[in-house]
């Protein structure tokens, strides 16, 4: 389990780095500027939010593979994997994330689908900024939940 926790810690570090890299984009979007720059910053921020969710999903995949011995498949596997992490599995593991974190990550999962499905210029800048602010503010809770989960695994 030590190896699993080290992997999760590495993913959390990468996600934190992504937030630090994204903050300047969010700061720039708060200032009026050339529409071309706005579109570029929105696209960059949306791509980083996509990456953030992918990092969370890698954490969940590692847990599902190593602890649950079950990883969903099929067209809804992304949603099912996220749902799996909020459930306590008796005698195997506690719930990995809280209901509040689940709600935020589910919103981010749906947003990631939008990012994959539309051109960047079609993204709503206000929506991207609001979601980024929420993700950045709630990351400490997510990290704390993952760290607390790892603490339950070590004697």
């Amino acid at each position: 389990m030590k190896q699993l926790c080290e992997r999760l810690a590495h993913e959390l570090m990468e996600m934190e780095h992504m937030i630090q890299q994204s903050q300047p984009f969010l700061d720039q979007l708060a200032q009026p500027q050339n529409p071309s720059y706005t579109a570029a910053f929105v696209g960059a921020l949306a791509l980083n939010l996509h990456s953030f969710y992918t990092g969370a999903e890698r954490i969940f995949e590692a847990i599902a593979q190593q602890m649950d011995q079950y990883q969903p498949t099929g067209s809804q596997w992304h949603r099912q994997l996220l749902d799996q992490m909020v459930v306590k599995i008796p005698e195997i593991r506690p719930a990995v994330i809280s209901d509040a974190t689940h709600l935020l990550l589910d919103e981010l999962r749906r947003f990631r689908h939008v990012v994959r499905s539309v051109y960047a210029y079609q993204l709503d800048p206000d929506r991207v900024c609001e979601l980024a602010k929420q993700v950045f503010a709630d990351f400490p809770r997510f990290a704390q939940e993952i760290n607390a989960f790892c603490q339950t695994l070590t004697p």
Side-chain angles (χ1 to χ4, degrees):
M1 291 304 149
K2 180 181 177 191
Q3 192 174 31
L4 173 62
C5 289
E6 288 173 357
R7 182 175 175 193
L8 302 186
H10 176 76
E11 286 296 338
L12 288 174
M13 184 181 66
E14 292 293 331
M15 294 167 78
E16 185 172 10
H17 178 74
M18 187 281 314
I19 289 173
Q20 292 169 352
Q21 180 185 23
S22 299
Q23 189 61 52
F25 300 138
L26 192 57
D27 295 342
Q28 285 294 321
L29 285 167
Q31 303 170 17
Q33 56 201 330
N34 179 316
S36 295
Y37 290 137
T38 298
F41 289 133
V42 167
L45 193 54
L47 183 59
N48 282 347
L49 289 171
H50 178 291
S51 296
F52 181 91
Y53 185 80
T54 300
E57 202 165 69
R58 278 194 295 267
I59 287 172
F60 300 153
E61 286 176 304
I63 293 168
Q65 290 168 358
Q66 291 189 16
M67 297 202 67
D68 300 1
Q69 301 295 309
Y70 172 75
Q71 186 171 344
T73 59
S75 64
Q76 297 294 314
W77 78 266
H78 297 279
R79 182 184 54 78
Q80 292 169 353
L81 179 64
L82 178 58
D83 292 348
Q84 186 174 328
M85 294 300 117
V86 80
V87 175
K88 174 184 176 182
I89 302 176
E91 299 182 32
I92 295 180
R93 65 161 176 80
V96 177
I97 58 172
S98 66
D99 289 335
T101 298
H102 177 271
L103 287 173
L104 173 63
L105 290 176
D106 192 44
E107 186 174 358
L108 194 54
R109 178 191 60 79
R110 291 189 310 268
F111 176 76
R112 183 178 72 166
H113 178 75
V114 170
V115 170
R116 290 178 170 179
S117 302
V118 303
Y119 293 104
Y121 77 87
Q122 295 174 316
L123 294 169
D124 176 3
D126 293 334
R127 177 71 190 112
V128 173
C129 288
E130 188 57 40
L131 187 56
K133 288 176 188 175
Q134 189 176 7
V135 167
F136 297 174
D138 289 350
F139 175 71
R141 180 183 68 217
F142 174 75
Q144 188 278 326
E145 290 173 0
I146 298 303
N147 289 326
F149 171 77
C150 279
Q151 288 177 353
T152 67
L153 304 179
T154 56

